[in-house]
Amino acid sequence: VKMVVRIAGRFTCGACGEGYHDTFKAPKVADTCDNCGAQQMTRRADDNAATVMSRLDAYHEQTSPLVAYYTDKGALRRVDAMGEIAEIQNAIAALTESVMR
């Protein structure tokens, strides 16, 4: 449910690309970009609850089983992606370097 709310609530400024969210980052003035002042908010057509649920079903059926498969083979590496982008990039780069050696 959290993921559905997170994905279905996002929208962007059509002029500058600034990202917003209905719940977590609404513009200070409704329908007006905080960054550039434009009133051209857009949403992706597939950012709706039905599509998100369909994506989640596909993930659980098709992708999720790969975690166990690669874990059993000792080939799965994990990166905590709940940080700053630069930290995540550095962690991925370090992991990639260690695997390539």
Side-chain angles (χ1 to χ4, degrees):
V1 174
K2 285 183 181 180
M3 187 174 297
V4 174
V5 170
R6 184 182 61 80
I7 293 173
R10 54 190 187 183
F11 59 99
T12 59
C13 173
C16 74
E18 182 71 18
Y20 293 97
H21 192 277
D22 292 327
T23 304
F24 307 116
K25 186 187 173 192
K28 293 173 185 154
V29 176
D31 300 321
T32 303
C33 180
D34 295 342
N35 188 50
C36 73
Q39 294 181 321
Q40 302 169 12
M41 300 301 180
T42 61
R43 291 179 191 268
R44 287 178 33 169
D46 61 344
D47 278 355
N48 60 66
T51 303
V52 174
M53 292 303 294
S54 177
R55 287 186 207 150
L56 287 171
D57 288 343
Y59 168 79
H60 290 295
E61 291 174 18
Q62 301 168 15
T63 306
S64 182
L66 294 173
V67 173
Y69 175 83
Y70 284 108
T71 297
D72 290 347
K73 296 207 171 287
L76 184 71
R77 305 295 185 269
R78 295 179 183 265
V79 172
D80 181 359
M82 295 303 293
E84 296 294 322
I85 292 173
E87 293 171 358
I88 298 164
Q89 287 174 325
N90 290 339
I92 292 170
L95 184 59
T96 303
E97 287 178 26
S98 70
V99 170
M100 298 303 287
R101 289 183 202 165

